[in-house]
Amino acid sequence: MKRAIWNGLACVAIVAFAPCGSTYAEENAFGSIHVAANRSQYTGRGCPVEIVYTATINFAMPHPKGLAFNYHWERSDRAKTAVQVVKPPANQRSMVVRDTWRLGAPGKHYDASVTLFVNSGNTHLNEGSPSVSVTCK
């Protein structure tokens, strides 16, 4: 019991220098995240139009054994996708995820974008896409 208390106190005492326990692994599991769209604009009569958003989630290597995280997309119209849970293999350096949005009605204009939210333990990241201008005639 004394040893467990001492380890906890030591962890608190050195937290300014190095995180303790699994927090370090969680916070350093991810590298950069990049989100792109398959088009920058659309003007025409063929509405609704389909926009495909693609995100690349890079992992810091080596990432922790047993890494699990979840992600979801939020659109600029405030709609959200279901949360997806992922457990990448230990040697996986990155993961590509996609979201497809069909929008548009005659005579309407939209500036459409999405944000990808990635969560693991105490790590909460998000990355937005460029805005896609859609004008339906």
Side-chain angles (χ1 to χ4, degrees), residues 84-134:
Q84 302 295 315
V85 178
V86 180
K87 296 178 182 177
N91 62 346
Q92 188 168 348
R93 295 183 176 277
S94 65
M95 174 175 280
V96 174
V97 296
R98 290 183 176 81
D99 184 47
T100 301
W101 186 2
R102 290 183 57 81
L103 79 157
K108 300 288 185 180
H109 175 81
Y110 308 87
D111 289 313
S113 62
V114 296
T115 300
L116 177 68
F117 290 84
V118 176
N119 304 289
S120 179
N122 291 328
T123 301
H124 306 286
L125 306 171
N126 64 75
E127 184 69 22
S129 73
S131 185
V132 177
S133 175
V134 175

Side-chain angles (χ1 to χ4, degrees), residues 30-35 55-58 116 118 125-127:
F30 300 98
S32 63
I33 298 173
H34 178 73
V35 180
T56 303
I57 304 167
N58 292 292
L116 177 68
V118 176
L125 306 171
N126 64 75
E127 184 69 22

